[in-house]
Amino acid sequence: MLTQACRDYEPWGFIRQAWASEKKEGRASAEARLQRINEIADPVAKLSDHKLQAIASKLRGFSRSGAALDDYLVEAFALVREASRRVLGLYHYDVQLLGGLAICDGTIAEMATGEGKTLVQSLAAFTRSLSGRGVHVATADSYLAERDFEFARP
């Protein structure tokens, strides 16, 4: 009875509408950023290892000077994607990039077994670490913690 009364209470309808609108805007923003990451994938793939490191250093300086995350997130994701391809032989799929975008935006990204959560965390961990603040990656599974540490070792 109380639950129905809460659902029927007018402000809840407004909150639900605002939340749905925010989710829709967040998805559109993520898809736009995903498109930009994919657009710069080929030019980034043509860069030398030295040039990738130089760009990472520039992004680090940019981040530490107080730039907003959105000002360098696309480039950071593109660098991690290319570094992963070169070092690990694994290329981030769009769903993994969207998961990384969700995490960087402070939202939750739920992924099934085998969808590449380890690759997703590498995007967010690198991008958030550029500011010089610590980044912690946690898992509740001790096997995954050990496996992923070996896999994604700094």
Side-chain angles (χ1 to χ4, degrees):
M1 182 72 135
L2 181 60
T3 304
Q4 184 62 41
C6 287
R7 263 190 246 131
D8 294 340
Y9 184 58
E10 181 54 37
W12 292 122
F14 170 75
I15 291 170
R16 261 189 249 116
Q17 288 174 350
W19 186 44
S21 173
E22 186 176 309
K23 281 177 60 178
K24 192 177 206 179
E25 289 171 11
R27 183 179 176 107
S29 171
E31 288 174 354
R33 291 184 288 177
L34 174 64
Q35 182 179 354
R36 291 196 330 260
I37 294 165
N38 285 327
E39 286 171 358
I40 65 172
D42 286 337
V44 169
K46 294 175 183 172
L47 298 173
S48 68
D49 290 350
H50 180 72
K51 187 68 174 170
L52 288 179
Q53 291 172 348
I55 292 172
S57 293
K58 284 185 180 183
L59 290 178
R60 188 175 300 113
F62 194 57
S63 173
R64 291 179 184 187
S65 70
L69 181 65
D70 277 342
D71 293 339
Y72 58 89
L73 184 137
V74 168
E75 292 81 4
F77 272 43
L79 288 179
V80 172
R81 187 186 216 186
E82 182 57 26
S84 173
R85 185 188 66 77
R86 292 181 189 188
V87 175
L88 303 172
L90 299 172
Y91 193 73
H92 294 79
Y93 291 105
D94 287 354
V95 68
Q96 293 162 332
L97 294 170
L98 289 170
L101 290 169
I103 292 170
C104 279
D105 287 343
T107 58
I108 296 172
E110 181 179 1
M111 298 177 76
T113 300
E115 283 190 309
K117 293 178 282 294
T118 301
L119 282 179
V120 169
Q121 65 80 23
S122 67
L123 295 161
F126 173 77
T127 303
R128 288 296 187 166
S129 72
L130 291 172
S131 68
R133 295 172 56 196
V135 172
H136 300 277
V137 178
T139 182
D141 186 312
S142 61
Y143 164 75
L144 291 177
E146 187 175 333
R147 183 201 72 181
D148 292 352
F149 173 75
E150 292 300 322
F151 174 78
R153 167 177 278 180

